[in-house]
Amino acid sequence: MDSNNNNNYSPSSTSSPPHPTSTSTTSISTTTDPVQSWWESVSKARSRILSLSSILPSHPSSSSFSLSSLADSDRPAISFLSSPEAYSHISSSLSSPLSGSGSDPLCQWLYETYLSSDPNLRLIVLSFLPLLSGIYLSRIHSSDSSSAPSLAGFEAVLLAIYSSEVKSRGGKPVVVQIPHLSHPSLYHTPRNKPHKSQVQAPSTGVLSPPLEPQIAIKSTKRPVIVGVALDCYFKHISQMPSWSKVELCRFAAAWAGQDCACQDKFDEFDDAAYFLEGRNVMISSNEIEDSSGISESEPKGVRIPLPWEILQPLLRILGHCLLGPLNTQDAKDAASVAVRRLYARGSHDLVPQAILATRSLIQLDKRTRETEKATAANTSSNANTPAKAKKPEIFLVSK
């Protein structure tokens, strides 16, 4: 479904996200007073958060939640970002069957908030990217997508993130330098030193080609735009709340498709080490409860095409969720499910890149869990081993 009608979505009298080369007419404050700058930032964040009160429906069951209490804190945007109640309220509205249209006020709020200059406000929008992109892609590729309402609101938010990344990259590709093995490094020394004329220069690998400005999401450009948005999420993933990461892992598992025996290929000879410790749930289960207290017994989303433009940033995010030392167990467990589903999908689709990447992540996940189990067993055995009684000390006093 080519949604060119997102030009009708005009959040701030603008039909589309600003062109990366366009000149902004917004006045720029030249104040250098740090206190005044801090106060302006706090005031802007408070205003944006309080404006949600007219957008979000009231929930009598959660009377303890208050937007004003978040807005009145010293760091309103960070307080909002760290609030599971705030995330739950906005998620409920975004998940509505009629959400995502060009007239959706919540999409308009997300769009305008991301266009602000406050980096903390932008983090709030990015924290909802897993849910927004998950719902968007699932609806686009669902069987009844032809009768689905307009998704111009979702697309405007995705285009705002994409356009910002186009501007920051400045028309340059994202590359990585791959050194030649003839050069010594911290990890190896070449056996035979090559002659000066035989020294190989490092090769350059292109992770992402130069980005082109877009004013609408066409079916041919959709994977690139969504992939760039996910890559932007990955850049700030250390600042994302755990429930946002779990959300993305659940959608990734659903995008990969239904359960398949292939996903347990690397676990078939393993013992209870690969049960999720303390939860009595197998790794292949999709019943995971995140730290916000929201239990998901049904898989999110539907099976969708997974081109490399989407799969590459998705695997980076899953790798962080699996191996990040500060991640919650919920995020690690959800990522463990997702990466096994994606391995099964890559095996069926015969995609070498996907197979190699997901297989590596599975092996790293297994080794991490083995190490954690061994550490826990050693700690338990040491705690149960009684300490040996010390021999009484005899002091000899010389006369």
Side-chain angles (χ1 to χ4, degrees):
M1 180 174 66
D2 293 348
S3 300
N4 295 328
N5 59 349
N6 65 333
N7 291 334
N8 298 328
Y9 181 69
S10 52
S12 54
S13 67
T14 308
S15 60
S16 61
H19 193 285
T21 59
S22 63
T23 303
S24 175
T25 58
T26 305
S27 60
I28 301 176
S29 176
T30 58
T31 179
T32 57
D33 185 357
V35 176
Q36 183 176 352
S37 299
W38 170 82
W39 179 248
E40 289 177 354
S41 177
V42 170
S43 299
K44 182 187 297 184
R46 286 177 176 173
S47 175
R48 294 303 302 163
I49 292 174
L50 290 175
S51 64
L52 278 172
S53 59
S54 60
I55 299 176
L56 297 178
S58 58
H59 290 266
S61 59
S62 56
S63 57
S64 60
F65 172 69
S66 172
L67 284 173
S68 59
S69 62
L70 297 176
D72 291 340
S73 64
D74 293 337
R75 304 173 69 188
I78 298 300
S79 298
F80 189 94
L81 183 68
S82 306
S83 171
E85 293 82 6
Y87 186 88
S88 177
H89 275 63
I90 292 187
S91 297
S92 178
S93 296
L94 284 177
S95 302
S96 170
L98 300 179
S99 64
S101 65
S103 59
D104 188 340
L106 184 53
C107 290
Q108 178 178 342
W109 185 89
L110 292 171
Y111 177 94
E112 294 176 349
T113 301
Y114 194 81
L115 294 184
S116 68
S117 58
D118 190 332
N120 291 329
L121 285 175
R122 285 187 161 202
L123 290 178
I124 292 177
V125 180
L126 287 177
S127 70
F128 292 99
L129 179 64
L131 180 63
L132 187 147
S133 59
I135 296 175
Y136 171 70
L137 291 176
S138 297
R139 290 182 183 177
I140 285 288
H141 296 287
S142 62
S143 56
D144 56 347
S145 59
S146 57
S147 60
S150 167
L151 301 176
F154 286 162
E155 293 180 341
V157 179
L158 291 171
L159 281 171
I161 300 174
Y162 175 84
S163 298
S164 175
E165 192 66 15
V166 170
K167 183 177 180 180
S168 66
R169 293 189 186 183
K172 298 179 180 180
V174 178
V175 298
V176 59
Q177 296 292 331
I178 306 174
H180 197 270
L181 291 178
S182 62
H183 295 272
S185 69
L186 293 174
Y187 307 101
H188 86 294
T189 301
R191 293 183 178 179
N192 301 317
K193 292 185 178 181
H195 192 268
K196 291 184 178 179
S197 60
Q198 298 176 339
V199 174
Q200 299 286 338
S203 58
T204 301
V206 179
L207 294 180
S208 176
L211 301 177
E212 300 176 354
Q214 304 292 336
I215 60 173
I217 298 184
K218 299 180 180 180
S219 59
T220 55
K221 298 297 182 181
R222 184 179 297 122
V224 175
I225 294 173
V226 175
V228 168
L230 290 175
D231 186 66
C232 189
Y233 178 89
F234 174 73
K235 291 179 180 178
H236 302 278
I237 195 168
S238 62
Q239 298 169 282
M240 293 293 105
S242 61
W243 41 86
S244 175
K245 300 175 186 178
V246 171
E247 194 92 63
L248 189 136
C249 294
R250 289 173 177 164
F251 272 111
W255 292 342
Q258 298 298 321
D259 288 337
C260 174
C262 297
Q263 68 181 1
D264 299 323
K265 176 180 178 181
F266 296 100
D267 303 322
E268 57 186 350
F269 299 111
D270 297 328
D271 56 12
Y274 300 113
F275 284 76
L276 303 184
E277 281 83 355
R279 308 173 72 87
N280 198 25
V281 180
M282 278 201 65
I283 270 179
S284 59
S285 171
N286 56 27
E287 296 186 3
I288 300 174
E289 183 174 348
D290 62 30
S291 55
S292 64
I294 303 172
S295 178
E296 294 286 345
S297 58
E298 298 180 359
K300 285 179 169 287
V302 298
R303 188 182 191 274
I304 67 170
L306 288 174
W308 188 243
E309 292 87 351
I310 293 179
L311 191 58
Q312 185 184 46
L314 187 61
L315 290 174
R316 292 178 188 167
I317 296 171
L318 292 177
H320 167 87
C321 294
L322 272 178
L323 307 173
L326 300 180
N327 285 327
T328 63
Q329 192 63 42
D330 293 309
K332 294 178 181 179
D333 293 347
S336 187
V337 174
V339 74
R340 283 164 169 76
R341 296 270 182 90
L342 288 171
Y343 170 77
R345 172 69 178 272
S347 299
H348 285 285
D349 294 349
L350 299 178
V351 182
Q353 293 170 305
I355 295 173
L356 290 174
T358 52
R359 180 171 179 170
S360 298
L361 288 176
I362 292 173
Q363 297 288 6
L364 289 172
D365 178 41
K366 288 177 59 178
R367 292 171 187 172
T368 301
R369 292 180 183 271
E370 284 177 341
T371 303
E372 292 176 351
K373 184 185 178 184
T375 303
N378 292 335
T379 303
S380 177
S381 61
N382 292 337
N384 296 330
T385 302
K388 294 182 178 179
K390 293 184 178 181
K391 296 181 179 179
E393 296 181 355
I394 301 175
F395 298 94
L396 300 177
V397 181
S398 59
K399 294 183 179 179

